[in-house]
Amino acid sequence: MIPKKTEDGEQQAVIEWAGIMSNAHPELLNLYHVPNEGKRSKAEGARQLRMGLRPGVPDLILDWPSGQYHGLRIEMKVKPNRTTKDQKDWLDRLEKAGYFVKVCYSAAEAIQTIEAYISMQKRKV
């Protein structure tokens, strides 16, 4: 039986790939995840919100300018899952602010997106 794909598993595969590829592409050292998901008690959830946790923040963040963009934001999903309203709102705001945003449904799609992003020509200032 083929194991069911999970968002966590796909995302972990992307992070493992980035670790392997970071010698060739040091910008991948700036790829990280903000742990927004997870079950918490009401008290812990309230504490996290006071500390700046925001629902809908994309799963993967690459703080590295490329092409015309300030950075890359990826929301990981597996089908049939869809983005929430909070996630859509974040992605829309980030895109308007000059970030490259993408919803990816597999590790392979996310890796292709990152490779295309980091290969963009730098913008001339």
Side-chain angles (χ1 to χ4, degrees), residues 55-58 75 77 82-95 101 103 105:
V57 171
E75 179 60 37
K77 293 290 176 195
R82 297 182 183 187
T83 53
T84 65
K85 181 181 182 331
D86 286 334
Q87 291 167 338
K88 287 178 189 174
D89 290 347
W90 266 104
L91 294 172
D92 288 346
R93 285 193 308 270
L94 288 165
E95 188 171 40
V101 302
V103 177
Y105 290 89

Side-chain angles (χ1 to χ4, degrees), residues 2 13 27 35 37 41 49 59-60 69 79 87 106 118 122:
I2 298 173
E27 56 271 40
E37 69 286 321
S41 68
L49 287 172
D59 292 311
L60 293 173
Y69 302 101
K79 291 186 179 188
Q87 291 167 338
S106 68
I118 62 178
K122 296 282 188 227

Side-chain angles (χ1 to χ4, degrees), residues 7-8 11 15 31-37 56-61 73-77 87 91 104:
E7 290 175 22
D8 287 356
Q11 186 170 310
I15 294 298
L31 180 67
Y32 60 95
H33 166 68
V34 176
N36 251 12
E37 69 286 321
V57 171
D59 292 311
L60 293 173
I61 297 171
R73 303 297 186 264
I74 295 176
E75 179 60 37
M76 293 296 300
K77 293 290 176 195
Q87 291 167 338
L91 294 172
C104 294

Side-chain angles (χ1 to χ4, degrees), residues 30 63 91 117:
N30 285 20
D63 283 335
L91 294 172
Y117 176 80

